[in-house]
Amino acid sequence: MSNTFLNMASIGDFDPLNAAIPATKVEITVSCRNLLDRDTFSKSDPICVLYTQGIGNKEWREFGRTEVIDNTLNPDFVRKFVLDYFFEERQNLRLDLYDVDSNSADLSKHDFLGQACCTLGEVVGSLGSRVEKPLGGIPGKKCGTVIVKAEELSNCRESVLMQFCGNKLDKKDFFGKSDPFLVFYRSNEDGS
């Protein structure tokens, strides 16, 4: 064997035993439409629980929960889930929806509203990185739909400092002063 061949074989730093699987961070946003109304005198107070599935044992693990939104059947959850998206791997996701009835963290204390499953690749690879799935899990009932959107997070570490001031705002309260606040929106990749 020539010395040139040995040098060519060692060009590059690829080590198959320590190679990282190509991944990117993805932000998942969840919305629902036409959920079941499980409350008597008001509308449901939905929460979404995201589960991921282990690769080896296929066991579902709770990844996180959204906030509870009071009295709505069409929630647009604000809390987002940040996941590592592995290109060569099937990453199963399960979204369970509940009507929150108390302060208990125990999901069995709340009314089940439905469930949907998909893969992270299915969401990322769909048109507009948006998937709409029917909710199931309650026999004989239409449970509504869940909308899952994904957006790739960039590695931008820039920060911006902004200061806002309101002058001569209208007095909106009958007694006392107004309680003004700002709402910020940003556009998503799909234009929404």
Side-chain angles (χ1 to χ4, degrees):
M1 227 188 248
S2 74
N3 199 15
T4 308
F5 180 75
L6 290 175
N7 288 339
M8 286 179 61
S10 64
I11 291 176
D13 295 325
F14 180 72
D15 179 1
L17 298 176
N18 295 315
I21 299 171
T24 188
K25 292 228 179 274
V26 174
E27 186 177 69
I28 299 294
T29 306
V30 179
S31 300
C32 298
R33 297 294 174 261
N34 304 315
L35 293 176
L36 286 174
D37 191 358
R38 302 292 293 251
D39 287 346
T40 307
F41 299 109
S42 64
K43 293 185 171 102
S44 293
D45 307 315
I47 187 172
C48 179
V49 183
L50 175 67
Y51 293 90
T52 57
Q53 196 172 39
I55 295 165
N57 58 6
K58 298 292 183 193
E59 183 178 315
W60 289 104
R61 293 181 309 263
E62 183 176 326
F63 183 83
R65 299 178 183 193
T66 64
E67 75 280 8
V68 176
I69 300 182
D70 293 335
N71 296 319
T72 184
L73 303 180
N74 301 301
D76 294 315
F77 296 105
V78 174
R79 188 168 302 147
K80 299 171 185 327
F81 304 108
V82 177
L83 297 162
D84 285 321
Y85 172 51
F86 300 103
F87 306 108
E88 301 288 329
E89 200 172 288
R90 181 180 176 89
Q91 293 172 266
N92 294 321
L93 305 176
R94 188 179 91 204
L95 299 121
D96 290 4
L97 284 119
Y98 292 88
D99 172 25
V100 175
D101 293 320
S102 69
N103 290 331
S104 175
D106 182 1
L107 294 171
S108 67
K109 305 271 190 242
H110 307 293
D111 295 324
F112 181 68
L113 294 176
Q115 177 182 89
C117 293
C118 63
T119 66
L120 187 53
E122 180 181 357
V123 179
V124 170
S126 63
L127 183 63
S129 296
R130 179 186 185 277
V131 168
E132 192 168 327
K133 293 275 189 179
L135 291 166
I138 302 175
K141 297 218 179 208
K142 291 190 176 186
C143 300
T145 58
V146 64
I147 302 158
V148 184
K149 295 180 192 172
E151 187 170 355
E152 184 178 0
L153 295 177
S154 66
N155 289 330
C156 178
R157 297 275 184 229
E158 296 176 15
S159 61
V160 174
L161 176 64
M162 295 186 279
Q163 186 173 350
F164 297 92
C165 178
N167 293 318
K168 298 179 184 175
L169 298 173
D170 285 343
K171 185 176 170 185
K172 297 293 183 187
D173 289 348
F174 192 68
F175 296 107
K177 297 178 181 176
S178 295
D179 303 313
F181 61 92
L182 289 171
V183 178
F184 292 92
Y185 296 93
R186 70 173 178 88
S187 68
N188 296 312
E189 287 182 359
D190 65 355
S192 62

